[in-house]
Every structure is written in C-alpha cells, then in structure tokens.
Amino acid sequence: KRKIKPLIEQGLVSGFDDVRLPTLRGLKRRGIVPEAIKQFVLQQGFSKVESVVDFSLVESVNRKYLDPRVKRYYFVPNPVQLVVADAPKKTVRLSLHPDATMGDRTLQTATDFFIPQNDVQNMKVGEVFRLKGLFNVKIKKLGDPIQGSYGGEDLLTGTAKIQWTTEDYVALRVFVPKLIFKGDTFNPDSLQEMNGYAEQAVASVPSGDIVQFERVGFVRLEQQNTGLVGFFAHK
C-alpha cells in the first residue's frame, strides 16, 4: 500500500483495480479467480519469515483452475490478410473445449482470412500450413495480402496449425500487464497493448467472463464505453 497509493495519487495507474497491481481488485480484474488465490495461500503455509513470491506461482494455480472450466476461442494478434481464392465455402463447427459438454460454435468461411503476423514471418512460398480446425493452405505468394491455395482436408504431419478469423471478426485490444516496478522505480511500460481480431462469437461472451485464446493465453473480457477490451491474465 505504501508504494501503490502514490501511483494512484499521481495518476500513473487507474486505481486499486488496475490490472498491474497485486490488490484483490486488480487480480480479479486481470482474471485471477478467488479459488486460485485461496489455493495459492494454502500452498504457501504459515511462516514468520518475510519472503518474495514469484507471480508465476499464482499463475500456475490459476491456470490449473481455469483450464478445465473456460471456453476457447481464436484470437489473431497483429493480423495479416490471407486470400485462398480456390477455398471451398464451408460451415464449420468448432468445439469450445475438449470437454464436449461445453458446446461448440459455428463459423462461415469463404476465401478471405486473417492470420497472426508472427506465424507469417518465417513462411516461404510453397510451404503448407493448416488453418486450425479447417483445412490446409499452400502459400503461392507472400505480400499483403498473402495468396494461398486450397491444400485439402487431410491432417499432415509436421505442418503448423494456425488460429484464424474470417472477415466477420471483432476488433479487440488486449491489455498486457508487465512488472510495475523496476527496482523501486515505476515502469512506464508496465501496461502494453496487443491488438488483433477475435472470432465473432467472442462478441456474445458476457462482460467479466474469462476465456482462453488458443496459442495466446487466458484473457478476461470487459465491456467498456469504448467497446469490448481484454485483460491478459497469463498463458
């Protein structure tokens, strides 16, 4: 509290619920659930010795709690357009979780997609990858957009599996908290942004719910006056 209060007074953080802060309100807004905090405290036990606990331990407990319980969606950070001119138009049903009882969602696909820039950087013409849950794509031309051709439905060993969205997407800003102090000095880069496109089904997720964006991490969604935003909890 001695360190946090001056940050609030100076306007360096938004309040006690800022996702960078280790307050209960900040942890909740970030996506750390009460059950995980309780379990974490019990694991630490009682001690008269002061100790510094790595936040990754909190993340580990929270991950074990969330993983079997939250729904999974596709989110494409830093999206790059992909055009597959000969792609078959499809209606595909994708599971929301390996546990089938959690249901599924339906996506309509055509020829235009968006995929993560990080996955594109090392791609080469002629390389084949898979749009996860859909079909294979062979790269014909790199550029903006990337040109690809339909590569069939069969699962191929050794091919990258990439999350994707269609043109029917939800633009989403995800705030990513970093260390708020470097030593005893406030870190001005402690709240970063990850911009991208989420699949349209994310628009119907209730504000305050936590989801897992595949290959990205766990994110708590919040409806604000400016629209839907996300707060990155952890991988």
Side-chain angles (χ1 to χ4, degrees), residues 158-189:
T159 56
K161 296 178 178 63
I162 298 175
Q163 74 269 31
W164 49 274
T165 64
T166 65
E167 292 181 299
D168 187 22
Y169 59 77
V170 177
L172 187 65
R173 285 189 305 162
V174 177
F175 294 95
V176 183
K178 301 293 184 179
L179 287 176
I180 196 165
F181 288 105
K182 289 186 175 180
D184 289 325
T185 304
F186 173 73
N187 175 17
D189 297 320

Side-chain angles (χ1 to χ4, degrees), residues 6 30 32 44 58 83 101 103 113 135 140 162 204 206-207:
R30 178 172 176 166
I32 308 298
Q44 301 310 303
V58 180
V83 177
T101 63
F113 302 88
F135 52 66
K140 295 174 61 179
I162 298 175
S204 61
S207 181

